[in-house]
Structures are given as structure tokens and as C-alpha cells.
Amino acid sequence: MKDFFTMTFLVALFGAGVRMAVPLIYASVGDCFLEKAGAIGISIEGEMLFGSLFSYIVALKTGSLWLGVLAGGLAGMFVSLIPAIWSVLLKQDQSITGIMFNIFAAGFTNFLNRIVFGTNNANIAIATFPIVKIPLLSKIPFIGPVFFEQSLLTYGAVIFALIMFFVMKKTKLGLLLTSVGEDPKVAQSCGVNVYRFRILSYMFCGFAAGIGGASLVLGSVGAFSEGVTSGRGFICLAIVILARWNPLVAVLASFTFGSIEALQIRLQVMGSSLPFQFFVALPYLITIVVLAIGGRNLRAPKELGLPFDKESR
């Protein structure tokens, strides 16, 4: 433990924290968009699972990591239609629908994995996205190695969050998004098809969550394993709440949780008298504590989680 606060240790810790934050950034930013439209993104855990599996299969079979990322996004977008239709068109409870979809996703991705790769779960490891150093910026002490020696997926996640912040705050689409989440009947009276808008929001969130799953497998792990997302979708839900549905704040929150996850791995490697299960549970324990403290006095979208019925008055 004597090397805990050395510069080398801290650079490695926070650099790993940035890498582990990437799947959280993609999924949580996508969920910010969905929840501003009035729908709860509980299903993003399952969408990340589908994205991670199909990105791995396509990248393994084609040899292209970028085709794998695209396949992961499309897989997440396609399966998001399941909770979208049940929640938006059939007006079922969004929480129950999302939880049931996650259970289905866990079982079905395990089934597909065993169909494709057999029952021993020993999938072939593939090369992940390489590190790309940003000239000059990567030479800055401490900050450079942590933030500017990352993969293209990492830089893409930050750019994605910046674009979504601009779209949600500064464009007509963002204004329509807010109106659908705050008062869908007013939005409908102005000519907005609320059903279509929310279904498309589900699909966009599913695409982002699928890329998040792909970035987990192709950016760091290098192989698909059953339950590889390990509850990251639920951490994303907490991130969105803590970020107050702001994509840029979601990036900072994702980095915080990514660093906590990196810390628990290093604590296990360094040795401790505590059982390893404690360190595995540490990120989720901190998620609960932070959410309990920081989740008070929230101003959520007014119609969040409520089904829309254009016939009712």
C-alpha cells in the first residue's frame, strides 16, 4: 500500500478510470435524451448486452473493429423497439417493461453466445482499439497521460456528449424534446407526434447504449462473456439522475464511477484482508450512497415514466 499515492499509481488509476467511463458515457448520454422525452431508460442494461455481443461477433468474423461498433449500435437500436412498443404504444408500465426486457436480454444473449461459441464460454480474445496520443496535449504532466492517451472511442464519447448537449439545449429538436417530456398534450396540439417521437428516442438511446456495450468489449475487455455489462446500465440510470439530465455533467459523473471501478480492481491486486466480494460490490454501494445523497430535490421531466394517451383529457 506504500505506493498508493505515487504519481505513477494515480496516472494509471485515472487513465483506467477514463477507459472504464466510456461505456457509461455513451449509454448515459443516450438515456439523457430518452428521459427528457418522458421515458425511463431502464432497458439500457439489456441494450448494452446485445450491443456487446453483436459487436464482438461482427468484429471477430470481419476483422473490423469499426464494423463491430456499428453492429453493436444497430443491435441496441433494434432490440430497443421491444420496450418502446410495450411502453409507448401498449402503454405498459415502463419500469416493469424495462426490467423484464433486461431479464430477457441476459438470458437470450447467453443463449446466442452458447449457440455461436459453444458451452465452455471460452470466447476468442480479439485486439481492442489502440491508444492514440494527441500531439502536444499528451505531453502535459499528469493530465496528458490520463486524458490524451486514449482510444478513438474515448474521444468519440466526449464529442458525442458535446454534440448532444448542443442539440438538447440549443436546437429546435431539443425544444421539442423538452415539450414532449414536460407536457406531451401541448406538444401534440402543436403538431408533434408524441408516439413517434418517443419511439425514435428509445431507438436513439438503444443505439447509444449498444455502442456503449461495443466500447466495453472492443475498447477494453477484448471478448464477450455472459453478463459482461455487470449492471453498468443501472449505474447509467444513477448517472443520469445525478447529472440532472445534462450530457456534459453525465461525462464527469461517468468518469467518477469509472475511477471507482478502476480503484476497486487495483485494491484487489494490491492485497487486502477484506474479501474480494467487498471490492466488487464497492462501485454499486457507492452508487446507492451517492444517489441517496445527491438525488434529493430533483426536477425531473414532468411526464417522466407516464404513458401518453392522446385520447384522454
Short mmCIF file of all heavy atoms in Angstrom, two decimals, residues 219-262:
data_model
loop_
_atom_site.label_atom_id
_atom_site.label_comp_id
_atom_site.label_asym_id
_atom_site.label_seq_id
_atom_site.Cartn_x
_atom_site.Cartn_y
_atom_site.Cartn_z
N GLY A 219 -13.20 -1.93 -26.63
CA GLY A 219 -12.32 -0.90 -26.12
C GLY A 219 -11.45 -1.34 -24.96
O GLY A 219 -10.38 -0.77 -24.73
N SER A 220 -11.89 -2.38 -24.22
CA SER A 220 -11.10 -2.77 -23.05
C SER A 220 -11.06 -4.27 -22.81
O SER A 220 -9.99 -4.84 -22.61
CB SER A 220 -11.64 -2.06 -21.79
OG SER A 220 -13.01 -2.35 -21.60
N VAL A 221 -12.21 -4.96 -22.84
CA VAL A 221 -12.24 -6.37 -22.45
C VAL A 221 -11.63 -7.27 -23.52
O VAL A 221 -10.85 -8.17 -23.22
CB VAL A 221 -13.69 -6.81 -22.14
CG1 VAL A 221 -13.75 -8.29 -21.78
CG2 VAL A 221 -14.25 -5.96 -20.99
N GLY A 222 -12.03 -7.07 -24.78
CA GLY A 222 -11.48 -7.87 -25.86
C GLY A 222 -12.19 -9.17 -26.15
O GLY A 222 -11.79 -9.93 -27.02
N ALA A 223 -13.26 -9.46 -25.42
CA ALA A 223 -14.06 -10.67 -25.65
C ALA A 223 -15.40 -10.51 -24.97
O ALA A 223 -15.54 -9.72 -24.01
CB ALA A 223 -13.33 -11.91 -25.12
N PHE A 224 -16.37 -11.24 -25.46
CA PHE A 224 -17.69 -11.23 -24.81
C PHE A 224 -17.76 -12.37 -23.82
O PHE A 224 -17.32 -13.49 -24.08
CB PHE A 224 -18.80 -11.39 -25.85
CG PHE A 224 -20.18 -11.47 -25.22
CD1 PHE A 224 -20.87 -10.31 -24.90
CD2 PHE A 224 -20.77 -12.69 -24.94
CE1 PHE A 224 -22.12 -10.37 -24.32
CE2 PHE A 224 -22.03 -12.76 -24.36
CZ PHE A 224 -22.71 -11.59 -24.04
N SER A 225 -18.33 -12.08 -22.65
CA SER A 225 -18.62 -13.11 -21.66
C SER A 225 -20.02 -12.88 -21.13
O SER A 225 -20.55 -11.77 -21.21
CB SER A 225 -17.60 -13.08 -20.51
OG SER A 225 -17.62 -11.82 -19.86
N GLU A 226 -20.63 -13.90 -20.62
CA GLU A 226 -22.01 -13.80 -20.16
C GLU A 226 -22.11 -12.78 -19.02
O GLU A 226 -21.35 -12.84 -18.05
CB GLU A 226 -22.52 -15.17 -19.72
CG GLU A 226 -22.55 -16.16 -20.89
CD GLU A 226 -23.05 -17.54 -20.49
OE1 GLU A 226 -23.35 -17.74 -19.29
OE2 GLU A 226 -23.14 -18.42 -21.37
N GLY A 227 -23.04 -11.84 -19.17
CA GLY A 227 -23.20 -10.80 -18.16
C GLY A 227 -22.06 -9.81 -18.12
O GLY A 227 -21.75 -9.25 -17.07
N VAL A 228 -21.42 -9.57 -19.27
CA VAL A 228 -20.22 -8.74 -19.32
C VAL A 228 -20.49 -7.31 -18.86
O VAL A 228 -19.59 -6.62 -18.34
CB VAL A 228 -19.62 -8.75 -20.74
CG1 VAL A 228 -20.54 -8.05 -21.74
CG2 VAL A 228 -18.24 -8.12 -20.76
N THR A 229 -21.71 -6.81 -19.02
CA THR A 229 -22.00 -5.43 -18.63
C THR A 229 -22.05 -5.26 -17.11
O THR A 229 -21.87 -4.15 -16.61
CB THR A 229 -23.33 -4.97 -19.23
OG1 THR A 229 -24.35 -5.92 -18.90
CG2 THR A 229 -23.23 -4.86 -20.74
N SER A 230 -22.33 -6.32 -16.38
CA SER A 230 -22.25 -6.32 -14.90
C SER A 230 -23.01 -5.16 -14.25
O SER A 230 -22.49 -4.51 -13.34
CB SER A 230 -20.78 -6.29 -14.45
OG SER A 230 -20.08 -7.40 -14.94
N GLY A 231 -24.20 -4.87 -14.73
CA GLY A 231 -25.02 -3.84 -14.11
C GLY A 231 -24.65 -2.42 -14.46
O GLY A 231 -25.16 -1.48 -13.84
N ARG A 232 -23.82 -2.22 -15.46
CA ARG A 232 -23.43 -0.85 -15.84
C ARG A 232 -24.63 -0.02 -16.31
O ARG A 232 -24.64 1.20 -16.15
CB ARG A 232 -22.36 -0.88 -16.92
CG ARG A 232 -20.98 -1.27 -16.41
CD ARG A 232 -19.97 -1.37 -17.55
NE ARG A 232 -18.62 -1.60 -17.06
CZ ARG A 232 -18.13 -2.79 -16.75
NH1 ARG A 232 -18.91 -3.87 -16.87
NH2 ARG A 232 -16.90 -2.93 -16.31
N GLY A 233 -25.62 -0.69 -16.90
CA GLY A 233 -26.81 0.04 -17.33
C GLY A 233 -27.53 0.69 -16.17
O GLY A 233 -28.06 1.81 -16.29
N PHE A 234 -27.54 0.03 -15.02
CA PHE A 234 -28.20 0.60 -13.84
C PHE A 234 -27.37 1.74 -13.25
O PHE A 234 -27.92 2.71 -12.73
CB PHE A 234 -28.44 -0.50 -12.80
CG PHE A 234 -29.36 -1.58 -13.29
CD1 PHE A 234 -28.87 -2.83 -13.62
CD2 PHE A 234 -30.72 -1.34 -13.45
CE1 PHE A 234 -29.71 -3.83 -14.09
CE2 PHE A 234 -31.57 -2.34 -13.91
CZ PHE A 234 -31.07 -3.58 -14.24
N ILE A 235 -26.04 1.63 -13.35
CA ILE A 235 -25.20 2.74 -12.93
C ILE A 235 -25.47 3.95 -13.82
O ILE A 235 -25.48 5.10 -13.35
CB ILE A 235 -23.71 2.34 -12.97
CG1 ILE A 235 -23.42 1.32 -11.88
CG2 ILE A 235 -22.81 3.56 -12.80
CD1 ILE A 235 -21.98 0.86 -11.82
N CYS A 236 -25.71 3.71 -15.11
CA CYS A 236 -26.02 4.82 -16.03
C CYS A 236 -27.30 5.53 -15.62
O CYS A 236 -27.41 6.76 -15.74
CB CYS A 236 -26.16 4.30 -17.46
SG CYS A 236 -24.60 3.80 -18.21
N LEU A 237 -28.28 4.78 -15.14
CA LEU A 237 -29.51 5.42 -14.66
C LEU A 237 -29.22 6.36 -13.50
O LEU A 237 -29.77 7.47 -13.43
CB LEU A 237 -30.51 4.35 -14.22
CG LEU A 237 -31.10 3.46 -15.33
CD1 LEU A 237 -31.95 2.37 -14.71
CD2 LEU A 237 -31.92 4.28 -16.31
N ALA A 238 -28.36 5.93 -12.60
CA ALA A 238 -27.97 6.80 -11.48
C ALA A 238 -27.20 8.02 -11.97
O ALA A 238 -27.39 9.14 -11.48
CB ALA A 238 -27.13 6.01 -10.48
N ILE A 239 -26.33 7.82 -12.96
CA ILE A 239 -25.56 8.93 -13.52
C ILE A 239 -26.48 9.98 -14.11
O ILE A 239 -26.29 11.19 -13.91
CB ILE A 239 -24.58 8.40 -14.59
CG1 ILE A 239 -23.44 7.64 -13.91
CG2 ILE A 239 -24.03 9.55 -15.44
CD1 ILE A 239 -22.51 6.95 -14.88
N VAL A 240 -27.50 9.55 -14.85
CA VAL A 240 -28.43 10.49 -15.48
C VAL A 240 -29.15 11.31 -14.42
O VAL A 240 -29.34 12.53 -14.57
CB VAL A 240 -29.44 9.73 -16.36
CG1 VAL A 240 -30.56 10.65 -16.84
CG2 VAL A 240 -28.74 9.11 -17.55
N ILE A 241 -29.55 10.67 -13.33
CA ILE A 241 -30.24 11.40 -12.26
C ILE A 241 -29.30 12.39 -11.59
O ILE A 241 -29.65 13.56 -11.37
CB ILE A 241 -30.81 10.41 -11.23
CG1 ILE A 241 -31.92 9.57 -11.87
CG2 ILE A 241 -31.35 11.15 -10.01
CD1 ILE A 241 -32.43 8.45 -10.99
N LEU A 242 -28.08 11.93 -11.29
CA LEU A 242 -27.11 12.83 -10.64
C LEU A 242 -26.72 13.98 -11.55
O LEU A 242 -26.46 15.09 -11.08
CB LEU A 242 -25.87 12.03 -10.25
CG LEU A 242 -26.05 10.98 -9.15
CD1 LEU A 242 -24.77 10.17 -8.98
CD2 LEU A 242 -26.44 11.63 -7.84
N ALA A 243 -26.71 13.74 -12.87
CA ALA A 243 -26.34 14.77 -13.83
C ALA A 243 -27.48 15.72 -14.14
O ALA A 243 -27.30 16.68 -14.90
CB ALA A 243 -25.84 14.13 -15.11
N ARG A 244 -28.67 15.47 -13.57
CA ARG A 244 -29.84 16.32 -13.86
C ARG A 244 -30.12 16.38 -15.35
O ARG A 244 -30.45 17.40 -15.91
CB ARG A 244 -29.64 17.72 -13.32
CG ARG A 244 -30.15 18.01 -11.92
CD ARG A 244 -29.56 17.14 -10.86
NE ARG A 244 -29.98 17.60 -9.50
CZ ARG A 244 -29.58 17.04 -8.37
NH1 ARG A 244 -28.76 16.01 -8.41
NH2 ARG A 244 -30.00 17.50 -7.21
N TRP A 245 -29.93 15.23 -16.05
CA TRP A 245 -30.24 15.10 -17.46
C TRP A 245 -29.42 16.05 -18.33
O TRP A 245 -29.85 16.48 -19.38
CB TRP A 245 -31.75 15.29 -17.70
CG TRP A 245 -32.54 14.23 -16.99
CD1 TRP A 245 -32.90 13.01 -17.48
CD2 TRP A 245 -33.02 14.27 -15.65
NE1 TRP A 245 -33.58 12.30 -16.52
CE2 TRP A 245 -33.69 13.05 -15.38
CE3 TRP A 245 -32.99 15.23 -14.63
CZ2 TRP A 245 -34.27 12.76 -14.17
CZ3 TRP A 245 -33.58 14.94 -13.41
CH2 TRP A 245 -34.21 13.72 -13.19
N ASN A 246 -28.20 16.33 -17.87
CA ASN A 246 -27.26 17.18 -18.61
C ASN A 246 -26.13 16.29 -19.14
O ASN A 246 -25.39 15.70 -18.36
CB ASN A 246 -26.70 18.26 -17.69
CG ASN A 246 -25.80 19.24 -18.42
OD1 ASN A 246 -24.96 18.87 -19.22
ND2 ASN A 246 -25.98 20.52 -18.14
N PRO A 247 -25.97 16.16 -20.46
CA PRO A 247 -24.96 15.25 -21.02
C PRO A 247 -23.53 15.55 -20.57
O PRO A 247 -22.74 14.62 -20.37
CB PRO A 247 -25.11 15.45 -22.54
CG PRO A 247 -26.52 15.90 -22.72
CD PRO A 247 -26.81 16.76 -21.52
N LEU A 248 -23.17 16.83 -20.43
CA LEU A 248 -21.80 17.16 -20.03
C LEU A 248 -21.53 16.77 -18.58
O LEU A 248 -20.45 16.26 -18.25
CB LEU A 248 -21.54 18.65 -20.24
CG LEU A 248 -21.60 19.13 -21.70
CD1 LEU A 248 -21.18 20.59 -21.78
CD2 LEU A 248 -20.72 18.27 -22.59
N VAL A 249 -22.50 16.99 -17.71
CA VAL A 249 -22.34 16.57 -16.32
C VAL A 249 -22.30 15.04 -16.24
O VAL A 249 -21.60 14.47 -15.41
CB VAL A 249 -23.48 17.13 -15.45
CG1 VAL A 249 -23.30 16.70 -13.99
CG2 VAL A 249 -23.51 18.65 -15.53
N ALA A 250 -23.03 14.37 -17.15
CA ALA A 250 -23.01 12.91 -17.19
C ALA A 250 -21.61 12.39 -17.51
O ALA A 250 -21.21 11.33 -17.02
CB ALA A 250 -24.01 12.41 -18.22
N VAL A 251 -20.84 13.14 -18.32
CA VAL A 251 -19.47 12.74 -18.62
C VAL A 251 -18.63 12.75 -17.34
O VAL A 251 -17.87 11.81 -17.06
CB VAL A 251 -18.85 13.67 -19.68
CG1 VAL A 251 -17.36 13.38 -19.85
CG2 VAL A 251 -19.57 13.50 -21.00
N LEU A 252 -18.75 13.81 -16.56
CA LEU A 252 -18.00 13.91 -15.31
C LEU A 252 -18.40 12.82 -14.32
O LEU A 252 -17.55 12.21 -13.67
CB LEU A 252 -18.22 15.30 -14.69
CG LEU A 252 -17.74 16.49 -15.52
CD1 LEU A 252 -18.08 17.80 -14.82
CD2 LEU A 252 -16.25 16.40 -15.79
N ALA A 253 -19.70 12.57 -14.22
CA ALA A 253 -20.18 11.53 -13.32
C ALA A 253 -19.70 10.15 -13.78
O ALA A 253 -19.32 9.31 -12.95
CB ALA A 253 -21.70 11.57 -13.23
N SER A 254 -19.68 9.93 -15.08
CA SER A 254 -19.20 8.65 -15.62
C SER A 254 -17.73 8.45 -15.29
O SER A 254 -17.30 7.34 -14.94
CB SER A 254 -19.41 8.60 -17.14
OG SER A 254 -20.78 8.67 -17.46
N PHE A 255 -16.94 9.51 -15.43
CA PHE A 255 -15.52 9.42 -15.08
C PHE A 255 -15.33 9.10 -13.61
O PHE A 255 -14.45 8.32 -13.24
CB PHE A 255 -14.82 10.73 -15.44
CG PHE A 255 -13.39 10.81 -14.95
CD1 PHE A 255 -12.43 9.94 -15.44
CD2 PHE A 255 -13.03 11.74 -13.99
CE1 PHE A 255 -11.12 10.00 -14.97
CE2 PHE A 255 -11.73 11.81 -13.53
CZ PHE A 255 -10.77 10.94 -14.02
N THR A 256 -16.17 9.67 -12.76
CA THR A 256 -16.08 9.39 -11.32
C THR A 256 -16.34 7.91 -11.05
O THR A 256 -15.57 7.25 -10.32
CB THR A 256 -17.08 10.25 -10.54
OG1 THR A 256 -16.80 11.62 -10.78
CG2 THR A 256 -17.00 9.95 -9.06
N PHE A 257 -17.41 7.38 -11.63
CA PHE A 257 -17.74 5.97 -11.40
C PHE A 257 -16.72 5.05 -12.06
O PHE A 257 -16.40 3.98 -11.53
CB PHE A 257 -19.15 5.67 -11.91
CG PHE A 257 -20.24 6.15 -11.00
CD1 PHE A 257 -20.96 7.29 -11.29
CD2 PHE A 257 -20.53 5.47 -9.83
CE1 PHE A 257 -21.96 7.75 -10.44
CE2 PHE A 257 -21.52 5.92 -8.97
CZ PHE A 257 -22.24 7.06 -9.27
N GLY A 258 -16.20 5.46 -13.23
CA GLY A 258 -15.16 4.67 -13.86
C GLY A 258 -13.90 4.60 -13.01
O GLY A 258 -13.26 3.54 -12.90
N SER A 259 -13.55 5.70 -12.36
CA SER A 259 -12.37 5.72 -11.49
C SER A 259 -12.59 4.86 -10.25
O SER A 259 -11.66 4.19 -9.76
CB SER A 259 -12.06 7.16 -11.08
OG SER A 259 -11.74 7.95 -12.22
N ILE A 260 -13.82 4.85 -9.74
CA ILE A 260 -14.12 3.99 -8.59
C ILE A 260 -13.97 2.52 -8.97
O ILE A 260 -13.43 1.71 -8.21
CB ILE A 260 -15.54 4.28 -8.07
CG1 ILE A 260 -15.61 5.69 -7.47
CG2 ILE A 260 -15.97 3.24 -7.03
CD1 ILE A 260 -17.02 6.15 -7.15
N GLU A 261 -14.45 2.17 -10.16
CA GLU A 261 -14.31 0.79 -10.62
C GLU A 261 -12.85 0.43 -10.80
O GLU A 261 -12.41 -0.68 -10.44
CB GLU A 261 -15.07 0.60 -11.92
CG GLU A 261 -15.10 -0.84 -12.40
CD GLU A 261 -15.93 -1.03 -13.65
OE1 GLU A 261 -16.51 -0.03 -14.14
OE2 GLU A 261 -16.01 -2.17 -14.13
N ALA A 262 -12.06 1.34 -11.38
CA ALA A 262 -10.63 1.09 -11.54
C ALA A 262 -9.94 0.93 -10.19
O ALA A 262 -9.04 0.11 -10.02
CB ALA A 262 -10.00 2.23 -12.34
#
